[in-house]
Amino acid sequence: MEHSKKDPKSFIVTDDYFIDLLTALTNLSPYWMKQLKQGSIKLQWAVQIGSRLDQEQQRRYMEWLQDTLVPDKWMGKVLHAFSMNMPEWAVHHVLRIYKLEEKTRAAIIMYNDLMALYEEIILNFEYEFLEGGWPEEDELLEQILHGVEKELQSLADQAGAHHKKDYRDYGDSSTDSYDRLASLQGCPYPVLIGLKPDAGAEQIRAQSRRLLKKLHPDHGGSACLFDLVKKAYDTYSQQ
């Protein structure tokens, strides 16, 4: 960026980054520019809107957000959906899938076989979503989204069945039951609770705390599974 020789108060922008930034801001609709000036949205988000959405898409995006409460963690997904000109019903469906995805992961986190299926489903779903591989026809798109939702729900249902079996088979807190359950898993503790084998102590403690709440016998959980996580949590808490 350098001063203009004709007008000292003006600047000539030569840096590609600033050119892209100014282009995005110039493309903002009056509504989004007003939101930026009022501080209702951050500059980074305004640039995303201006660079990815045309004027009509910005209008649809604005109207949709006025009627829908979206957590910040999914705002990028919504913006991408509008940049792909997805119909509004499909955007709602995508958000529903992401909500179900979180619940499903929490339900199956103790079961490695289900986690492998879950990761494959989500990987395919996100690839098609982010790469724009879905059909434009409403009927076909609805079939795809409904199929993903059905697969995730099936995993959650299977986890429920596994949980009931674990409770029947290992519902007591005896050392014998503990050892039998641990041997059945056949994997390191971090992997058992859904983390990478080399996960750090803080990650393991945080994940264990979440599982302890879910597995507590007073909340319908398995006493043996609770003891398994509690014993490991106590060990890592000392590190």
Side-chain angles (χ1 to χ4, degrees):
M1 184 181 296
E2 57 187 34
H3 285 284
S4 170
K5 294 181 179 179
K6 295 182 179 180
D7 185 356
K9 295 182 180 180
S10 301
F11 290 91
I12 298 176
V13 179
T14 57
D15 186 277
D16 289 342
Y17 170 79
F18 286 107
I19 291 175
D20 291 341
L21 185 147
L22 292 174
T23 300
L25 294 179
T26 302
N27 188 48
L28 282 178
S29 68
Y31 171 83
W32 288 112
M33 181 59 74
K34 182 179 179 181
Q35 296 300 304
L36 176 61
K37 291 180 178 179
Q38 291 177 342
S40 300
I41 59 173
K42 295 181 179 179
L43 175 61
Q44 182 181 8
W45 193 245
V47 171
Q48 287 290 317
I49 294 172
S51 62
R52 300 181 64 181
L53 305 182
D54 60 29
Q55 294 289 307
E56 175 60 20
Q57 290 169 335
Q58 290 183 43
R59 182 192 64 78
R60 291 181 58 233
Y61 180 57
M62 175 266 294
E63 292 178 350
W64 192 85
L65 287 178
Q66 289 177 342
D67 297 327
T68 309
L69 182 62
V70 182
D72 290 343
K73 61 183 176 181
W74 290 324
M75 286 296 290
K77 311 292 187 184
V78 173
L79 181 66
H80 177 72
F82 276 94
S83 73
M84 301 298 294
N85 286 318
M86 289 183 65
E88 294 180 11
W89 67 263
V91 181
H92 281 289
H93 204 146
V94 167
L95 284 181
R96 194 161 69 239
I97 288 175
Y98 275 110
K99 292 177 183 178
L100 178 59
E101 176 260 335
E102 284 193 342
K103 293 180 180 179
T104 300
R105 189 179 193 282
I108 68 175
I109 200 166
M110 294 289 287
Y111 307 105
N112 293 327
D113 56 336
L114 297 182
M115 281 297 294
L117 294 173
Y118 157 87
E119 289 172 356
E120 182 179 355
I121 292 170
I122 294 303
L123 182 64
N124 291 334
F125 166 72
E126 291 219 302
Y127 177 80
E128 294 294 331
F129 174 47
L130 298 177
E131 294 298 321
W134 287 338
E136 296 182 1
E137 296 83 355
D138 283 3
E139 185 176 352
L140 294 178
L141 180 56
E142 185 175 13
Q143 289 177 2
I144 291 174
L145 296 177
H146 180 70
V148 174
E149 198 170 21
K150 187 175 180 180
E151 288 179 317
L152 289 174
Q153 187 59 56
S154 175
L155 290 182
D157 293 342
Q158 291 179 61
H162 280 322
H163 181 73
K164 290 179 180 178
K165 183 178 184 301
D166 288 339
Y167 188 80
R168 287 196 306 268
D169 294 345
Y170 307 105
D172 62 272
S173 301
S174 67
T175 303
D176 179 61
S177 292
Y178 178 94
D179 292 340
R180 287 163 60 199
L181 179 60
S183 66
L184 280 177
Q185 301 300 332
C187 63
Y189 177 71
V191 177
L192 177 64
I193 61 173
L195 299 175
K196 295 181 179 180
D198 58 351
E202 182 56 38
Q203 284 182 291
I204 294 173
R205 286 194 294 268
Q207 182 75 327
S208 297
R209 284 194 295 269
R210 286 192 288 269
L211 287 173
L212 286 173
K213 293 179 181 179
K214 185 177 182 63
L215 295 172
H216 199 287
D218 291 347
H219 300 154
S222 165
C224 186
L225 289 174
F226 180 85
D227 284 350
L228 173 66
V229 177
K230 182 66 167 61
K231 184 176 181 180
Y233 174 73
D234 291 341
T235 299
Y236 281 98
S237 293
Q238 298 173 5
Q239 296 183 9

